[in-house]
Amino acid sequence: HLSSSSAITHEELLKSYPTSWPYQQSTQPILLEMEDPDRKVHLIPLLPLLSALPPPSFAAATAKTTAAALATAQTRYRIPDVAIHPQVTKYLCRGADLMKSGMRSFPAPWALRQSKGVVTVSVIGNPMVCAVGMVDRGLFREYC
């Protein structure tokens, strides 16, 4: 548990990332070409690329985030982020689908439309992306 005096600011977090590409020793896939049911091709960033970039939103890392602060932080990053409870990672890393009960925040409809349903997933307390995925088509239609 961090005290308020030891909390890192968003600017300090961004400055702590390397300015050069970290994967010099081996090749890593960074994009996935995916075709949707309408036969449109989308490029989806993979975790090696997202791990080299600053986290999606510093606001997603805190448990007590207002909706306005989260929306403001998410506008600075192109892929909307879903913050999840730490207990959910065990199941998510084993291949389970993310369900609504495990989500702490969900992107605004305009952000989902803009990203065509692609979202990143991060854990409350750790702003780094732990997964990339697509919102279920039925939920996308219903919510957006």
Side-chain angles (χ1 to χ4, degrees):
H1 186 286
L2 294 174
S3 67
S4 60
S5 63
S6 66
I8 187 169
T9 66
H10 185 65
E11 288 76 27
E12 291 172 331
L13 184 65
L14 292 177
K15 288 178 185 177
S16 70
Y17 280 83
T19 56
S20 63
W21 183 246
Y23 302 109
Q24 303 282 335
Q25 303 299 320
S26 64
T27 51
Q28 293 284 328
I30 58 170
L31 294 170
L32 172 70
E33 190 174 284
M34 190 189 88
E35 190 175 282
D36 67 13
D38 298 328
R39 313 258 321 145
K40 293 180 184 173
V41 175
H42 304 279
L43 288 177
I44 302 199
L46 297 175
L47 291 178
L49 176 60
L50 294 173
S51 68
L53 299 173
S57 69
F58 188 69
T62 62
K64 297 178 182 174
T65 303
T66 64
L70 191 57
T72 302
Q74 286 181 345
T75 59
R76 289 186 253 135
Y77 197 73
R78 294 186 177 264
I79 302 174
D81 186 58
V82 175
I84 62 171
H85 295 284
Q87 296 85 355
V88 175
T89 58
K90 171 182 171 182
Y91 303 103
L92 195 63
C93 290
R94 291 179 181 173
D97 289 337
L98 181 58
M99 297 187 296
K100 186 177 179 181
S101 60
M103 296 179 198
R104 174 69 172 99
S105 70
F106 195 74
W110 63 267
L112 282 176
R113 283 191 300 273
Q114 185 178 18
S115 72
K116 297 179 176 55
V118 176
V119 294
T120 59
V121 179
S122 63
V123 181
I124 294 172
N126 182 358
M128 286 307 301
V129 174
C130 65
V132 180
M134 297 281 293
V135 173
D136 182 70
R137 195 173 177 101
L139 179 63
F140 186 73
R141 282 191 198 129
E142 178 184 322
Y143 190 65
C144 297

